[in-house]
Amino acid sequence: MEGSAAVAVSVTTGRPYPFERRRRLSPAALAVTNEKVLPAYSTVVINGVVRALDFTLLSIIGIASYLGYVVPIDGFSWYAILAVLAMSLVAVISFQAAEMYDIQIYRGRLRQFTRLISCWTLVFLLFIGASFFAKLGDSVSRVWLATFFVSGFVTLVVERMGLRSLVRRWAREGRLGRRTVIVGSDENGEKLIKALRQQHDSDLKLLGVFDDRNDGRALDTCAGLPKLGKINDIVEFARRTRVDLVLFALPISAESRILAMLKKLWVLPVDIRLSAHTNKLRFRPRSYSYIGSVPTLGMFEQPITDWDMVLKWAFDRGVGAILLVLLAPVMALTALAIKLDSPGPVLFRQKRFGFNNERIDVLKFRSLYHHQADPLAAKVVTKNDPRVTRVGRIIRKTSLDELPQLFNVVFKGNLSIVGPRPHAVQGKLHSRLFDETVDGYFARHRVKPGITGWAQINGWRGEIDNEEKIQKRVEFDLYYIENWSLLFDLYILIKTPWALIKGENAY
């Protein structure tokens, strides 16, 4: 976060942020950040959804054909329903064994359809064999079995054709590729880039290389990729465009350089790996994760990904909607009290830090006199602050002023129910910005901010008037990020009312 500018412009909204510091990027880096980039889709989630869809469709077809043909003739039997469910489950297992749940397979046509008919036929042969040995062959309707086989196969083919179309479109949009930058613009970097390009069906999109060196060892173009800047530029670059993976091409022997770089980059919500393809040291195979055949060592991972992200999204929207309905009377009474107490709007917007340092507008009930409003929070509210209204003192003490942020959670999606509290973009301690006071401050923005959080229920809320308070907030926030789980969120949410009743350090 070096360099400064009098006015900077938000990448997402285009609105200026007064006095915000932004690092200048090279023309090559700016060209990449100016490209339109859509959010990525998790291949893990896609594969899981396809598995569930396969099982559901086959179960519905099998049960529907049984109810439509067999039941009117022979009556209903729960054993037949269980048999259909078992066949559907075995089909999904067979598809998994045949490696059919893979993004690259979805893109093809002949390969997946041949595997599809082979696995689906195997399922029926297994069912016929099991019926024979159980001496149930005479009780199984051949018409129903043939109908289930044909209609199931046709449905699977139609489903896969639709999936193929979707996947190909997502690939064109860049939603399935991992946007990757390489650290190290030298011979090692060239070897790594060439090795990555040799991988068949790779999902990597190589954006460019970064290197701190200014001498002849750092190439301006590395295996055809442009040098985008220095290591310090990666943080700003990753905040202007989507970066999913930072891959070091440096040898493990360059330990001091790697550690210095990691100290700068760990604040980003991206995967950071060290390539091991040129290292002479050999670790146990389990130590490596592979990109195709290229071995890598994981340094840092995105905190919440794949199904965890889906669970947190569902928790935020579901719980947020319920709380919004339950607390609607309280919010209405609070709004009325604010309106009767002092002139001005009931709500106001304040700039806060969001995910990956994105600036977001957070809604709050107005607690200050309208003519003394402070949207940038340049001046901290202190005890007995004359800017605070009579109603404002009550709603700040009880955190009722935060309730409108439920609209951010449910409708905008830029806040979570639980997460690190979003600080104001101009939040300061004794004239020093928070990120200048605490090392690794921006690492708390690796996840979405929340209405309540681990720091808040442990007493670290309200005014920040000494260094310990901001350090403790960051410490508790980082603990939450590293130990996140849905149960942890639920525990924090349950403990929040008690923390509000205590009302420590809030005025």
Side-chain angles (χ1 to χ4, degrees):
M1 301 298 293
E2 299 175 11
S4 63
V7 177
V9 177
S10 164
V11 178
T12 54
T13 65
R15 292 191 295 270
Y17 298 127
F19 313 114
E20 184 186 356
R21 299 161 301 153
R22 299 295 294 272
R23 187 175 181 87
R24 296 188 179 213
L25 297 178
S26 68
L30 288 173
V32 177
T33 60
N34 288 333
E35 296 174 0
K36 183 180 179 182
V37 180
L38 296 173
Y41 288 155
S42 166
T43 57
V44 173
V45 174
I46 291 172
N47 291 335
V49 170
V50 175
R51 290 186 186 95
L53 187 60
D54 283 349
F55 177 81
T56 303
L57 289 175
L58 292 176
S59 299
I60 290 174
I61 290 169
I63 292 173
S65 57
Y66 171 75
L67 295 176
Y69 180 79
V70 178
V71 170
I73 300 174
D74 297 330
F76 180 81
S77 171
W78 281 108
Y79 292 108
I81 303 297
L82 293 175
V84 170
L85 296 177
M87 292 172 70
S88 302
L89 180 60
V90 172
V92 172
I93 295 172
S94 300
F95 298 158
Q96 178 68 47
E99 299 181 346
M100 289 185 59
Y101 296 115
D102 183 87
I103 291 294
Q104 304 306 330
I105 294 294
Y106 302 150
R107 292 178 181 178
R109 181 179 293 169
L110 180 63
R111 203 165 32 155
Q112 69 170 319
F113 289 165
T114 53
R115 293 186 187 185
L116 193 68
I117 187 63
S118 300
C119 292
W120 188 229
T121 302
L122 177 63
V123 170
F124 275 79
L125 291 176
L126 290 174
F127 176 76
I128 292 170
S131 301
F132 173 78
F133 285 109
K135 298 182 179 180
L136 297 173
D138 293 339
S139 61
V140 176
S141 169
R142 293 169 179 78
V143 174
W144 166 71
L145 204 60
T147 302
F148 187 16
F149 177 81
V150 174
S151 58
F153 177 69
V154 171
T155 300
L156 289 171
V157 168
V158 172
E159 176 214 14
R160 292 303 171 114
M161 289 177 65
L163 181 62
R164 178 176 179 269
S165 177
L166 275 176
V167 167
R168 288 166 72 91
R169 189 183 80 191
W170 292 337
R172 288 194 302 270
E173 294 173 347
R175 292 183 181 272
L176 302 178
R178 284 184 291 174
R179 292 169 60 83
T180 304
V181 297
I182 307 295
V183 176
S185 182
D186 55 12
E187 184 181 352
N188 286 329
E190 286 191 322
K191 289 180 180 178
L192 174 59
I193 293 169
K194 290 176 182 177
L196 293 173
R197 285 174 172 167
Q198 289 173 359
Q199 308 304 316
H200 296 294
D201 297 328
S202 173
D203 65 342
L204 297 187
K205 177 177 176 56
L206 302 178
L207 303 179
V209 294
F210 289 84
D211 201 306
D212 265 353
R213 296 169 293 187
N214 292 318
D215 53 27
R217 293 174 297 173
L219 306 173
D220 290 332
T221 303
C222 188
L225 290 180
K227 182 182 175 184
L228 302 178
K230 297 185 177 182
I231 304 305
N232 287 339
D233 297 323
I234 297 179
V235 175
E236 181 65 23
F237 180 80
R239 292 195 171 130
R240 296 199 191 192
T241 190
R242 197 187 95 218
V243 175
D244 304 306
L245 174 64
V246 175
L247 191 54
F248 280 77
L250 306 177
I252 295 178
S253 56
E255 178 183 355
S256 59
R257 286 182 63 203
I258 293 172
L259 291 176
M261 294 175 185
L262 288 176
K263 188 176 181 180
K264 298 174 183 177
L265 301 181
W266 76 285
V267 300
L268 293 173
V270 302
D271 287 338
I272 302 178
R273 297 190 194 180
L274 175 62
S275 168
H277 76 293
T278 59
N279 290 310
K280 295 180 181 179
L281 291 174
R282 287 292 176 263
F283 297 95
R284 296 176 62 188
R286 293 182 192 172
S287 303
Y288 297 112
S289 58
Y290 288 84
I291 301 175
S293 60
V294 177
T296 64
L297 295 170
M299 300 288 106
F300 294 99
E301 295 182 351
Q302 295 183 45
I304 304 175
T305 58
D306 301 328
W307 284 109
D308 287 342
M309 187 177 292
V310 174
L311 289 174
K312 188 158 180 65
W313 179 89
F315 179 84
D316 287 339
R317 297 302 173 96
V319 173
I322 293 171
L323 290 177
L324 203 54
V325 172
L326 294 178
L327 295 173
V330 177
M331 294 174 68
L333 291 174
T334 302
L336 179 61
I338 293 170
K339 200 67 179 174
L340 295 175
D341 182 50
S342 63
V346 170
L347 299 175
F348 82 104
R349 290 179 173 85
Q350 192 173 64
K351 292 290 182 188
R352 297 287 182 98
F353 280 119
F355 173 70
N356 197 21
N357 269 34
E358 179 189 356
R359 276 52 168 178
I360 59 175
D361 288 324
V362 170
L363 289 173
K364 298 185 69 176
F365 279 127
R366 179 176 59 83
S367 58
L368 273 61
Y369 289 103
H370 179 51
H371 66 283
Q372 294 178 306
D374 186 9
L376 294 176
K379 182 180 178 183
V380 178
V381 175
T382 58
K383 193 171 185 177
N384 298 320
D385 196 314
R387 297 175 298 163
V388 181
T389 65
R390 290 173 299 175
V391 171
R393 297 189 191 283
I394 299 172
I395 64 176
R396 292 179 70 88
K397 186 76 173 176
T398 58
S399 290
L400 290 175
D401 62 325
E402 310 285 0
L403 289 183
Q405 291 171 29
L406 288 170
F407 292 107
N408 285 87
V409 174
V410 177
F411 298 108
K412 290 190 175 182
N414 53 16
L415 280 185
S416 289
I417 294 292
V418 180
R421 285 292 298 140
H423 289 164
V425 294
Q426 290 296 314
K428 295 177 182 178
L429 173 64
H430 306 320
S431 76
R432 294 168 62 200
L433 293 170
F434 289 153
D435 64 289
E436 297 172 340
T437 306
V438 182
D439 218 13
Y441 170 80
F442 285 127
R444 65 193 298 275
H445 301 150
R446 294 165 65 208
V447 299
K448 281 184 187 179
I451 297 178
T452 184
W454 182 235
Q456 281 62 46
I457 69 167
N458 282 281
W460 301 106
R461 58 187 289 259
E463 182 187 5
I464 299 175
D465 54 7
N466 60 57
E467 195 167 313
E468 182 193 15
K469 288 181 178 179
I470 185 60
Q471 285 179 338
K472 283 295 184 181
R473 279 199 187 189
V474 173
E475 178 185 323
F476 276 81
D477 288 339
L478 296 184
Y479 177 88
Y480 166 80
I481 292 171
E482 297 300 327
N483 295 275
W484 177 87
S485 71
L486 202 60
L487 289 177
F488 196 13
D489 272 6
L490 189 59
Y491 174 78
I492 292 172
L493 186 61
I494 292 172
K495 292 278 288 185
T496 295
W498 173 248
L500 295 179
I501 292 172
K502 292 170 68 176
E504 297 176 305
N505 200 32
Y507 28 81

